[in-house]
Every structure is written in C-alpha cells, then in structure tokens.
Amino acid sequence: MVPPPCLYQIAEYYHVAPTNILQIIQKKHDGRIGPMGIQPEWIPILEKAGFSQDAIQNNVCTNIAAGAWILAFASPKKQTEAKKPLSLSPQFSQPETLSRDLRACAVDAARKYRVSVPLFLGLLATEGGHVGQIVNNRNGTYDMGPAQINSSHLHELAAQGITRDQIINDGCLNIHIGAWLLARELGDETPQHPKEFWQRVGNYNSHTPIHNQAYQLKVWSHVVGISHSQPHG
C-alpha cells in the first residue's frame, strides 16, 4: 500500500522509526486487523488506551496509530516484524493511589464523561492527590484533593453551587470534577491524532510546553501499566 501522510506524524510522535512501520504494512496479515496486522487480543487493551475498535478496523491512520502505540509502549521489546507475536504480559507497575470506593467513583466518572477509564485512572495516579490535600504551586494557585483540582477553577465551580470545602473534602465529587475537566480539554479528539490528543491530556496539568510534555509521559506510563494489568476488564 502507499504510505499515508499520517504515518510519518504518528511515527514521530510515538518515537517509532517510519521504516519499522513501513516494513509491517508491506506484509500480508491474514487473520489480523488492518495494515499493521494487529492481533485481535490487543483490541480490549487498545480500547482501554482510548482507541475505538471500529476505527482500528476501518480507519488506516487509526490502525497505524494503534500499532505504533503497541510498538512504542506496550511491547517489552520493540518489534519490527508483524509476524512476531507481541507479549500480553504486564511489564509496568501501577501504583495504587485510590481506595476501592474512590476507584469505583473514578470509573463511574470516566464513563459518565466518556473518557477512557485507564486514561483517567492514569491521570489520577499521576496527580497522586488525596482527600483533604492542598498543594501550593509556584504561580500562587493551589491544587486540591485526589484529582488535584486547581484553584483557578473555583469561580466557575462556585457558579454551579460547588464550594471549596466540597472540592477539598468530598473525594468522589473531586474526582467527578477532574473527569469533567479532562473531558472538556479533550473535546472530540482521539489517539488517531496523537500529538493533539496527548497535548490536550497534558493541558490538564499545564499549557507550558515543557511541563505539558513531561506530564504526558507520566500519564502515558500509567495508562500502559493499567492497560496491561487489566487486559480483559
């Protein structure tokens, strides 16, 4: 097939050599999905990372992005041949920062606001906040609770009847606010456009490029860990 222009953008963002992707898409992949020859057992994991099964199956660029995600972050060793099976065994640890009740609340919040559950759990693990916690920032703002809601949002949340005390001390409400803010940042963007998608994830923490990119990588590593540790749920 003729390489689509998106291949090079995807390769650059996921730090995968374009030649590796080209070698894969030039091969035949009987019984596998799309030009990247994705094994069907990867679909539940890719869905947890925010990819759409329908798009993986029917959109060339999404299929390439999903394959690049596997090569870059989900395989213990970067693969250059599609015929070599990719391991589904966990390779990353996921720190547990939420109680069982708060984790259930996070799952409900992610589903309510249509955010990938592992993406949101990965964000919460990156934030590492706790009920009642306040963390002061160098810019004069402060972050609150499990989702580390920034004080810059107090005014708009007050307009919805939500108080500062609730944000700090009501863990489930705090988490729902975090999911709402993340969903607002993401808009309709998907991992098919990785640069824009992950920049929007980074916006949850900072719009300053260096801090945004560092935050992306932290969330990314947690998402990979969650996706590996729960391949079927």
Side-chain angles (χ1 to χ4, degrees):
M1 64 175 290
V2 177
C6 64
L7 183 153
Y8 299 96
Q9 180 192 27
I10 291 168
E12 178 182 3
Y13 197 80
Y14 284 108
H15 301 289
V16 175
T19 53
N20 287 357
I21 297 177
L22 287 169
Q23 288 174 3
I24 292 172
I25 67 176
Q26 288 169 359
K27 295 178 181 289
K28 292 184 178 180
H29 304 294
D30 295 336
R32 300 190 182 186
I33 301 170
M36 290 295 285
I38 295 172
Q39 295 170 317
E41 54 262 43
W42 274 106
I43 294 299
I45 297 175
L46 291 165
E47 286 185 311
K48 291 175 181 294
F51 289 93
S52 159
Q53 178 177 352
D54 181 70
I56 292 171
Q57 293 173 330
N58 299 302
N59 184 286
V60 170
C61 289
T62 300
N63 185 275
I64 292 173
W69 186 91
I70 293 171
L71 289 172
F73 295 99
S75 176
K77 294 182 180 179
K78 294 182 180 180
Q79 308 290 335
T80 58
E81 295 183 358
K83 66 180 181 181
K84 188 172 182 179
L86 296 175
S87 173
L88 290 175
S89 60
Q91 300 294 323
F92 299 85
S93 62
Q94 173 59 38
E96 185 61 52
T97 61
L98 298 175
S99 67
R100 180 179 298 179
D101 288 345
L102 287 183
R103 191 183 187 284
C105 182
V107 171
D108 289 342
R111 290 171 177 166
K112 177 179 179 179
Y113 294 104
R114 301 188 178 185
V115 172
S116 161
V117 171
L119 174 63
F120 187 49
L121 291 176
L123 182 145
L124 291 173
T126 302
E127 291 294 338
H130 304 283
V131 176
Q133 182 182 36
I134 299 175
V135 177
N136 293 314
N137 301 314
R138 292 180 180 179
N139 62 4
T141 65
Y142 54 90
D143 301 325
M144 301 167 280
Q148 290 290 276
I149 306 302
N150 189 264
S151 57
S152 63
H153 299 294
L154 284 173
H155 181 73
E156 65 175 321
L157 292 170
Q160 300 181 45
I162 299 173
T163 67
R164 176 180 179 275
D165 183 71
Q166 287 177 307
I167 297 168
I168 295 171
N169 296 307
D170 187 331
C172 193
L173 175 62
N174 180 285
I175 285 172
H176 271 262
I177 293 169
W180 172 68
L181 291 171
L182 177 60
R184 188 170 69 177
E185 287 289 352
L186 292 177
D188 296 325
E189 197 54 83
T190 71
Q192 178 183 336
H193 306 108
K195 184 175 183 179
E196 177 65 23
F197 178 79
W198 285 100
Q199 183 178 359
R200 293 189 182 198
V201 173
N203 286 345
Y204 184 92
N205 175 261
S206 175
H207 286 75
T208 303
I210 187 171
H211 300 308
N212 184 295
Q213 291 168 12
Y215 189 80
Q216 292 176 39
L217 292 175
K218 290 177 183 178
V219 175
W220 220 335
S221 67
H222 289 313
V223 170
V224 172
I226 293 169
S227 297
H228 268 300
S229 64
Q230 299 173 340
H232 303 297

